[in-house]
C-alpha cells in the first residue's frame, strides 16, 4: 500500500512538474491554436520617446555600467510601433521572442520577423525595427562593442516606408 501511494504521489509530482514547465514557458492552450507569450518582463513604457512612433516598453537586463562589454534589454512594441532610422557604432543583435515584427536596412526591403529569428546588425548600418501593423512584437536587443560609441538616431520611418512590406 505504501508503495502504491508513493508511486501515485510521484506520478502527481511529475505531472505537476510538467504542467509547471509548460506554464513557465508562457504558453497558453487555446481552442485551436497555441499562443506563446513573451518570456521577459515588459518593463517601463517609454512614454514620449521621440525615437519611436507608437508605444514601446523597455526592460533593461545588462547596462553599460555593468562592465560586461554589452547591453541587453527586452523591447516590446505595440502593434504598428517602430523606432526611427538609426545606426550603432558597435554591433547589435536582435533575438525575436514574441509576436510579429519588421526589420529594414536602408535601401533594402522590409524583413518579417517571427519568434526565434535572429538579426545581426553590423556597425554603422542604418536600419529600423518594430511591430507589424497587426501584432505586438518583442525582441531582446543586445548591443556590443560599446567602447565604439552609442546610437545615432535619425528621422522617423514614414508611413509609406513602413507600409511597403510585401510591395
Amino acid at each position: 500500500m505504501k508503495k502504491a501511494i508513493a508511486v501515485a504521489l510521484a506520478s502527481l509530482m511529475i505531472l505537476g512538474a510538467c504542467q509547471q514547465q509548460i506554464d513557465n514557458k508562457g504558453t497558453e492552450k487555446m481552442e485551436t491554436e497555441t499562443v506563446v507569450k513573451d518570456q521577459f518582463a515588459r518593463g517601463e513604457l517609454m512614454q514620449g520617446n521621440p525615437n519611436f512612433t507608437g508605444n514601446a516598453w523597455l526592460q533593461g537586463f545588462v547596462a553599460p555600467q555593468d562592465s560586461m562589454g554589452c547591453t541587453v534589454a527586452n523591447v516590446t512594441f505595440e502593434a504598428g510601433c517602430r523606432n526611427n532610422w538609426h545606426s550603432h557604432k558597435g554591433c547589435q543583435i536582435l533575438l525575436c521572442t514574441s509576436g510579429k515584427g519588421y526589420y529594414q536596412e536602408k535601401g533594402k526591403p522590409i524583413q518579417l520577423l517571427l519568434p526565434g529569428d535572429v538579426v545581426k546588425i553590423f556597425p554603422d548600418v542604418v536600419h529600423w525595427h518594430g511591430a507589424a501593423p497587426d501584432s505586438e512584437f518583442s525582441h531582446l536587443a543586445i548591443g556590443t562593442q560599446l567602447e565604439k560609441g552609442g546610437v545615432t538616431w535619425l528621422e522617423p520611418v514614414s508611413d509609406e516606408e513602413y507600409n511597403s512590406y510585401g510591395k
Side-chain angles (χ1 to χ4, degrees):
M1 181 67 164
K2 285 183 182 179
K3 190 173 187 178
I5 291 172
V7 169
L9 285 173
S11 297
L12 286 174
M13 287 172 56
I14 290 169
L15 189 59
C18 290
Q19 183 62 45
Q20 184 73 21
Q21 285 179 341
I22 292 169
D23 290 346
N24 286 342
K25 283 187 171 182
T27 304
E28 287 180 359
K29 186 67 175 170
M30 302 189 69
E31 284 184 30
T32 57
E33 66 180 42
T34 300
V35 177
V36 177
K37 293 182 179 180
D38 195 5
Q39 303 294 307
F40 299 98
R42 179 175 284 236
E44 297 293 319
L45 176 63
M46 293 188 282
Q47 196 152 12
N49 188 317
N51 297 310
F52 285 77
T53 300
N55 289 319
W57 293 261
L58 178 68
Q59 175 63 55
F61 299 117
V62 179
Q65 59 270 27
D66 290 345
S67 301
M68 300 293 295
C70 69
T71 57
V72 180
N74 185 48
V75 184
T76 301
F77 302 83
E78 72 179 352
C81 177
R82 68 261 191 188
N83 52 31
N84 289 2
W85 289 101
H86 65 282
S87 63
H88 304 266
K89 294 297 180 194
C91 294
Q92 185 180 42
I93 303 165
L94 305 178
L95 305 174
C96 305
T97 58
S98 70
K100 189 167 58 171
Y102 288 164
Y103 168 78
Q104 184 178 23
E105 292 180 2
K106 200 69 147 172
K108 296 183 179 179
I110 293 173
Q111 298 174 36
L112 178 65
L113 300 178
L114 298 171
D117 287 344
V118 176
V119 181
K120 298 173 189 172
I121 307 162
F122 292 95
D124 300 315
V125 172
V126 176
H127 67 282
W128 67 268
H129 34 101
D134 60 347
S135 174
E136 190 172 89
F137 174 65
S138 294
H139 64 56
L140 293 178
I142 303 168
T144 67
Q145 302 168 322
L146 301 181
E147 68 281 357
K148 291 184 174 183
V151 179
T152 301
W153 289 103
L154 304 167
E155 71 278 0
V157 175
S158 71
D159 288 342
E160 183 181 345
E161 290 169 317
Y162 178 77
N163 293 317
S164 70
Y165 175 71
K167 294 178 183 170

